[in-house]
């Protein structure tokens, strides 16, 4: 940490370095924006009228328009293990944070100052922003540094145009006495007595007047960087979410980490630049804090710049145009004096000529309403008088040297400023291609400013990426702005479950993203879109496109159509181009729709196969139809045969029934006969049995008699 004495010594070194160049730049700013007569060159002239015939302002507007219409496109190129998709996220975040009012004002002020005096600057700041739920989150904004030629002083050892080799920079802000007291109270909680003695004690050798004669108190936003070993603390929650903090920031976020359930997982020590911001006056250091990122968050922008004898010199369009512009103001003012002070041409009459008619000659110009004027023809002696005036008072003559000098001064200013269209190509009937060529020719006047702005914007992107890694170190949903101005949302520093390894892995973790930053000069998106629409319109009207290409270009043209009433049509055209594979899906909804369409398409067969299958099915249908006809004929024949069989079976049944009846009657007869035969057989058997029994009885009797006789 720097002490007040060390800080003031560094500030004085930066203040002394380039002092003369800053004075010239301040004079350029005064000449460009306040007055063109505030100098000693023409202060002793006897001009009664001093006008400003400013032909520089047109050149200012032309160059400023060129800077606006040819914006710098910043490209974040991922390096090391950074995923390619990270570039789209950083691009979108960079464009989104560049759309707030302070950022737009910073860019606008820088363009105006760099054109006028050749140098400008702005600062990147991290600020707290509260949402409706009361959550405080940090955002990155740009703030203009007004009058950078007077108020921004760099490390004298820095030589690069983007000052990336500087180790410190001092940015002065002027406060009134009451304003300084309020600032002192806000930052320190203490009251102060603004007095010169406070700012001279204990050291009195500093050359910078921290209190001006007008009682303005200067405060420096002093940025200092140094290489240090920094300890990083890695925290993880129960769901695998990770967060990394510098050890110096732990106290600030300790309560938040405890509430969110984060536990310390590991520590890591790395060497990196640490940037400290001091808010200091000549009295004391009011505040010192570590700012995000590894770079001084101040970005310089130059007009024309060069080192001469080891000292940096810069200038805008004003420097070389001041002398011819001063001379032109003097000449035009002198011409106005001639016209206003010198008498106009008047007629000379003798007294006798207009005696009695003097009232007719008292008024001149449009105030003389007499339809005609009278004049005496003879004098008192009857002598004829001359007709008409005897002479004229001559009008003032403009010196020829003045006319020639006016032409030369106008040409001299045009040579430097180059305002307006070149006379040799000014044509109201220029074609579109000719106008593009004309614009390119006009751009040559402002190209130096555009090229040097490219270095500033590239440095801005580099500092932004470095700060974003420290500022956006928590899980949050950010808004991304695309090149065409459309918006989307993306979750950064998120985690998702890897079911193969069964662990949470980081997604869109910008704290580990590393980029190389590039910048290119290009036309604005709107001008490119207008040109592309014209080209597509010509192709669509050519009638030489196949249907697929015609549909593709038509949808592309519809996407470029502006107006809220065309939003549905633009969405439809974009969806069609995504399905055609021309555009890549960007949102989750678009990716899901594309995946669903691809799955449905995968389930569909090849058209030729579908045609072949259709032909096969047609043949099978014809064959089936023939089979059906045969079946119908067979059914008919079977039906006829069935009917015949049915009739035959019916006759046979009737016959069988009759036969059965006859058989039944015959059976009855046979049964009766059988019954009679059986009955007769039984009677005969009985008779035979009785006869046998009678015989046996007779034999037994005979036996008994015999035995008895014996």
């Amino acid at each position: 940490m720097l002490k007040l004495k060390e800080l003031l010594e560094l500030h004085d070194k930066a203040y002394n370095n380039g002092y003369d160049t800053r004075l010239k730049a301040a004079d350029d700013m005064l000449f460009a924006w306040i007055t063109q007569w505030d100098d000693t060159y023409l202060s002793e002239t006897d001009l009664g009228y001093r006008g400003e015939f400013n032909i520089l302002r047109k050149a200012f507007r032309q160059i400023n328009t060129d800077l606006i219409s040819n914006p710098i496109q910043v490209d974040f190129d991922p390096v090391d293990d950074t995923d390619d998709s990270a570039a789209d996220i950083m691009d979108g975040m960079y464009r989104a944070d560049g759309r707030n009012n302070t950022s737009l004002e910073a860019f606008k002020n820088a363009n105006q100052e760099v054109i006028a005096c050749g140098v400008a600057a702005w600062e990147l700041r991290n600020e707290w922003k509260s949402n409706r739920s009361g959550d405080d989150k940090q955002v990155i904004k740009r703030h203009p540094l007004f009058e950078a030629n007077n108020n921004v002083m760099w490390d004298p050892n820095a030589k690069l145009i983007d000052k990336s080799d500087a180790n410190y920079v001092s940015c002065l802000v002027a406060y009134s006495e009451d304003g300084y007291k309020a600032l002192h109270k806000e930052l320190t909680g203490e009251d102060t007595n603004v007095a010169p003695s406070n700012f001279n004690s204990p050291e009195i050798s500093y050359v910078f007047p921290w209190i001006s004669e007008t009682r303005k108190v200067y405060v420096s936003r002093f940025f200092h960087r140094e290489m240090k070993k920094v300890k990083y603390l890695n925290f993880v929650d129960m769901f695998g979410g990770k967060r990394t903090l510098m050890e110096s920031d732990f106290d600030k976020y300790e309560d938040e980490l405890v509430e969110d359930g984060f536990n310390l997982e590991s520590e890591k020590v790395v060497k990196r630049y640490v940037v400290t911001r001091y808010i200091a006056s000549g009295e004391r250091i009011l505040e010192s804090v570590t700012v995000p990122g590894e770079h001084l968050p101040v970005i310089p922008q130059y007009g024309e710049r060069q080192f001469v004898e080891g000292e940096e010199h810069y200038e805008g369009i004003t420097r070389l145009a001041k002398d011819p512009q001063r001379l032109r103001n003097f000449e035009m003012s002198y011409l106005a004096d001639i016209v206003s002070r010198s008498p106009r041409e008047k007629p000379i009459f003798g007294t006798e000529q207009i005696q009695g008619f003097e009232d007719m000659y008292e008024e001149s110009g449009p105030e003389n309403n007499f339809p005609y004027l009278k004049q005496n023809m003879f004098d008192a002696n009857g002598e004829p008088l001359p007709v008409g005036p005897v002479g004229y008072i001559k009008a003032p003559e403009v010196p020829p040297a003045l006319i020639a000098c006016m032409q030369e001064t106008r040409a001299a200013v045009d040579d430097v400023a180059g305002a307006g269209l070149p006379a040799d190509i000014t044509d109201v009937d220029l074609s579109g291609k000719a106008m593009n060529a004309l614009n390119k020719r006009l751009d040559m006047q402002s190209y130096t400013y555009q090229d040097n702005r490219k270095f500033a914007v590239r440095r801005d992107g580099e500092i932004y990426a470095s700060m974003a890694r420290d500022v956006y170190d928590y899980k949050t949903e950010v808004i991304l702005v695309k090149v065409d101005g459309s918006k989307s949302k993306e979750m950064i520093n998120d985690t998702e479950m890897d079911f193969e390894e069964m662990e949470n892995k980081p997604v869109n973790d910008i704290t580990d993203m590393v980029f190389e930053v590039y910048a290119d000069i290009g036309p604005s998106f709107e001008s490119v879109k207008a040109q592309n629409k014209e080209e597509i319109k010509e192709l669509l009207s050519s009638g030489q496109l196949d249907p697929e290409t015609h549909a593709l270009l038509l949808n592309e043209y519809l996407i470029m159509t502006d107006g809220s009433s065309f939003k549905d049509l633009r969405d439809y055209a974009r969806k069609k181009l995504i399905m055609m594979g021309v555009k890549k899906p960007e949102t989750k909804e678009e990716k899901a729709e594309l995946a669903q369409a691809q799955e449905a398409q995968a389930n569909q067969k090849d058209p030729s196969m579908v045609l072949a299958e259709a032909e096969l099915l047609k043949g099978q249908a014809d064959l089936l139809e023939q089979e059906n006809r045969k079946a119908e004929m067979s059914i008919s024949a079977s039906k006829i045969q069935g009917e015949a069989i049915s009739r035959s079976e019916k006759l046979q049944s009737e016959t069988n029934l009759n036969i059965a009846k006859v058989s039944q009657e015959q059976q009855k007869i046979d049964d009766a006969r059988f019954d009679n035969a059986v009955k007769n057989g039984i009677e005969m058997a009985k008779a035979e049995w009785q006869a046998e029994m009678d015989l046996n009885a007779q034999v037994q009797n005979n036996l008994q008699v015999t035995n008895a006789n014996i």
Side-chain angles (χ1 to χ4, degrees):
M1 302 294 289
L2 295 177
K3 297 180 180 180
L4 178 63
K5 179 179 179 180
E6 296 171 329
L7 188 148
L8 296 181
E9 287 177 350
L10 292 175
H11 173 83
D12 277 349
K13 290 178 181 179
Y15 177 74
N16 288 327
N17 182 63
Y19 180 79
D20 293 336
T21 304
R22 288 202 301 275
L23 286 180
K24 293 178 181 177
D27 185 65
D28 292 344
M29 287 282 285
L30 187 69
F31 187 89
W33 296 108
I34 305 302
T35 177
Q36 296 181 349
W37 284 92
D38 188 20
D39 52 62
T40 59
Y41 294 100
L42 303 174
S43 60
E44 297 180 359
T45 60
D46 295 330
L47 292 175
Y49 171 75
R50 293 189 177 189
E52 289 189 7
F53 304 90
N54 195 331
I55 55 179
L56 282 177
R57 191 61 58 85
K58 189 175 182 180
F60 290 169
R61 298 191 186 109
Q62 177 66 52
I63 296 177
N64 194 33
T65 301
D66 292 343
L67 293 176
I68 296 173
S69 59
N70 296 283
I72 309 299
Q73 307 294 339
V74 178
D75 183 28
F76 294 89
D77 189 13
V79 297
D80 297 335
D81 296 332
T82 304
D83 189 78
D84 290 341
S85 61
D88 295 332
I89 295 176
M90 189 58 67
D91 283 340
M93 291 176 60
Y94 179 79
R95 281 189 288 266
D97 284 340
R99 290 160 64 97
N100 58 69
N101 282 342
T102 56
S103 295
L104 295 177
E105 184 177 358
F107 294 145
K108 178 182 178 181
N109 178 73
N111 287 341
Q112 292 178 341
E113 290 190 3
V114 81
I115 296 170
C117 70
V119 69
W122 65 87
E123 178 189 342
L124 279 167
R125 299 180 187 175
N126 59 307
E127 299 178 354
W128 291 99
K129 179 181 179 182
S130 299
N131 56 21
R132 292 183 178 180
S133 60
D135 295 333
D136 288 333
K137 295 182 179 180
Q138 290 194 77
V139 295
I140 300 176
K141 291 185 178 181
R142 296 161 185 83
H143 285 260
L145 297 176
F146 298 104
E147 286 189 86
N149 59 296
N150 283 331
N151 297 325
V152 179
M153 283 150 279
W154 292 91
D155 178 0
N157 295 316
K159 297 295 188 292
L160 298 179
I161 192 172
D162 60 1
K163 299 301 182 184
S164 58
D165 55 342
N167 287 322
Y168 68 88
V169 59
S170 180
C171 307
L172 293 176
V173 182
Y175 287 87
S176 65
E177 291 189 17
D178 292 338
Y180 176 72
K181 290 179 181 179
L183 178 69
H184 191 284
K185 180 73 173 179
E186 177 186 353
L187 297 180
T188 65
E190 303 172 0
D191 294 323
T192 183
N193 178 27
V194 181
S197 59
N198 292 346
F199 294 84
N200 292 333
S201 176
E203 287 79 21
I204 58 174
S205 60
Y206 304 116
V207 297
F208 180 75
W210 289 95
I211 293 184
S212 68
E213 295 179 357
T214 57
R215 304 296 295 177
K216 286 183 180 180
V217 180
Y218 289 96
V219 174
S220 173
R221 294 176 62 87
F222 192 93
F223 296 90
H224 182 260
R225 73 167 187 171
E226 55 184 336
M227 185 69 71
K228 289 184 178 181
K229 290 183 178 180
V230 179
K231 180 184 290 188
Y232 284 92
L233 306 177
N234 299 317
F235 297 88
V236 62
D237 62 12
M238 64 182 68
F239 302 106
K242 296 182 178 180
R243 189 165 181 181
T244 302
L245 294 175
M246 288 190 295
E247 187 178 35
S248 58
D249 294 335
F250 175 73
D251 293 338
K252 186 189 304 182
Y253 297 100
E254 182 178 6
D255 295 338
E256 181 182 342
L257 292 170
V258 173
E259 291 177 1
D260 295 341
F262 280 93
N263 296 313
L264 181 64
E265 181 184 36
S266 62
E267 299 178 358
K268 183 180 181 180
V269 178
V270 298
K271 290 184 66 176
R272 58 163 284 179
Y273 278 110
V274 176
V275 180
T276 305
R277 183 195 67 211
Y278 301 88
I279 298 181
S281 65
E283 177 187 13
R284 62 179 293 184
I285 294 177
L286 305 177
E287 182 186 56
S288 61
V289 296
T290 301
V291 299
E294 302 181 52
H295 307 286
L296 301 177
V298 179
I299 297 93
Q301 180 178 338
Y302 289 94
E304 299 186 47
R305 171 183 181 268
Q306 191 61 50
F307 274 87
V308 180
E309 295 184 352
E311 186 173 349
E312 183 182 52
H313 293 270
Y314 46 80
E315 62 183 52
I317 200 173
T318 309
R319 184 74 54 83
L320 297 179
K322 281 196 296 187
D323 286 342
Q325 178 66 65
R326 286 192 186 103
L327 189 55
R328 181 170 181 80
N329 290 339
F330 173 78
E331 293 163 353
M332 295 295 289
S333 299
Y334 177 50
L335 182 62
D337 267 7
I338 292 176
V339 173
S340 62
R341 291 185 176 184
S342 301
R344 289 171 292 177
E345 183 176 298
K346 293 181 180 179
I348 300 174
F349 289 92
T351 303
E352 296 85 354
Q353 287 180 284
I354 59 174
Q355 188 175 8
F357 305 112
E358 291 88 352
D359 58 328
M360 290 186 173
Y361 295 90
E362 289 178 355
E363 302 292 341
S364 62
E367 296 177 356
N368 190 332
N369 295 318
F370 291 101
Y372 56 87
L373 299 177
K374 291 183 178 181
Q375 178 186 339
N376 295 316
M377 298 296 296
F378 302 96
D379 60 12
N381 298 323
E383 297 292 331
L385 296 172
V387 179
V390 296
Y392 290 90
I393 298 176
K394 290 185 178 181
E397 294 184 0
V398 178
L402 176 60
I403 298 175
C405 193
M406 288 175 59
Q407 295 175 350
E408 292 298 326
T409 52
R410 177 58 187 258
V413 176
D414 286 345
D415 286 342
V416 175
L421 297 176
D424 58 328
I425 57 173
T426 302
D427 184 359
V428 295
D429 297 325
L430 285 176
S431 65
K433 293 182 179 179
M435 283 301 298
N436 290 334
L438 174 59
N439 290 332
K440 289 181 180 179
R441 178 169 172 180
L442 292 176
D443 283 347
M444 302 310 333
Q445 172 67 22
S446 61
Y447 188 79
T448 298
Y449 297 87
Q450 296 179 33
D451 189 52
N452 285 343
R453 178 170 173 77
K454 179 178 69 174
F455 288 93
V457 176
R458 189 209 64 82
R459 179 63 174 168
D460 179 82
E462 188 175 46
I463 296 174
Y464 178 87
S466 178
M467 293 182 67
R469 287 194 291 268
D470 293 341
V471 171
Y472 300 110
D473 59 350
Y474 52 89
K475 177 182 176 180
T476 185
E477 188 177 56
V478 295
I479 296 176
L480 308 181
V481 177
K482 305 172 188 176
V483 178
D484 60 358
S486 59
K487 300 178 182 178
S488 63
K489 294 182 179 180
E490 191 73 40
M491 187 67 69
I492 61 172
N493 301 324
D494 198 3
T495 58
E496 65 179 15
M497 175 61 71
D498 186 347
F499 293 99
E500 294 183 358
E501 300 183 9
M502 294 306 296
E503 65 176 359
N504 282 325
K505 290 191 174 181
V507 178
N508 297 334
D509 184 6
I510 69 170
T511 60
D512 289 335
M513 295 180 182
V514 182
F515 301 95
E516 286 288 346
V517 184
Y518 301 95
D520 294 308
I521 303 173
S524 66
F525 178 79
E526 291 300 324
S527 61
V528 172
K529 184 173 73 172
Q531 182 178 354
N532 291 341
K533 285 181 67 176
E534 290 298 324
E535 293 174 353
I536 292 177
K537 188 185 296 184
E538 292 180 3
L539 290 173
L540 290 174
S541 60
S542 65
Q544 300 178 356
L545 303 175
D546 58 88
E548 184 178 0
T549 305
H550 187 277
L552 188 153
L553 291 176
L554 179 60
N555 286 309
E556 191 68 40
Y557 185 84
L558 293 176
I559 289 179
M560 297 180 183
T561 305
D562 297 323
S564 58
S565 58
F566 287 93
K567 183 179 184 304
D568 295 337
L569 196 58
R570 289 196 299 270
D571 294 341
Y572 172 79
R574 175 173 175 78
K575 185 180 296 184
K576 292 285 291 182
L577 290 178
I578 291 175
M579 297 304 174
M580 295 171 67
V582 178
K583 288 187 176 295
K584 294 182 179 180
E586 297 179 353
T587 63
K588 294 181 179 179
E589 293 78 7
E590 291 176 348
K591 292 177 181 178
E593 290 177 356
L594 179 61
Q596 184 178 2
Q598 289 176 343
E599 182 179 358
Q601 186 177 5
N603 294 330
Q604 294 179 355
K605 298 180 180 180
D606 184 72
S608 60
M609 292 296 295
V610 173
L611 183 61
E613 289 183 0
E615 293 294 332
L616 179 60
L617 291 175
K618 183 179 180 182
Q620 291 177 349
D622 293 341
L623 182 61
L624 181 60
E625 185 178 0
Q626 294 179 3
E627 293 292 335
N628 289 336
R629 289 179 181 177
K630 290 181 180 180
E632 290 177 357
M633 293 176 64
S634 177
I635 291 172
S636 298
S638 299
K639 185 177 180 182
I640 295 172
Q641 183 178 4
E643 292 177 353
I645 292 173
S646 178
R647 288 195 297 269
S648 175
E649 288 179 349
K650 186 176 181 182
L651 292 174
Q652 184 68 33
S653 176
E654 292 177 353
T655 302
N656 291 337
L657 182 61
N658 293 331
I659 293 173
K661 289 181 178 180
V662 173
S663 299
Q664 186 177 8
E665 293 295 331
Q666 185 65 38
Q667 186 67 33
K668 289 181 179 180
I669 296 172
D670 291 341
D671 289 341
R673 288 177 179 177
F674 179 76
D675 290 341
N676 291 329
V678 170
K679 184 176 180 183
N680 291 335
I682 293 172
E683 291 295 332
M684 290 178 64
K686 284 182 177 181
E688 291 178 356
W689 180 75
Q690 188 63 42
E692 186 175 358
M693 289 298 291
D694 290 343
L695 180 58
N696 288 334
Q698 185 177 1
V699 171
Q700 190 69 31
N701 288 329
N702 293 332
L703 184 57
Q704 289 177 357
V705 171
T706 302
N707 288 333
N709 292 329
I710 296 172

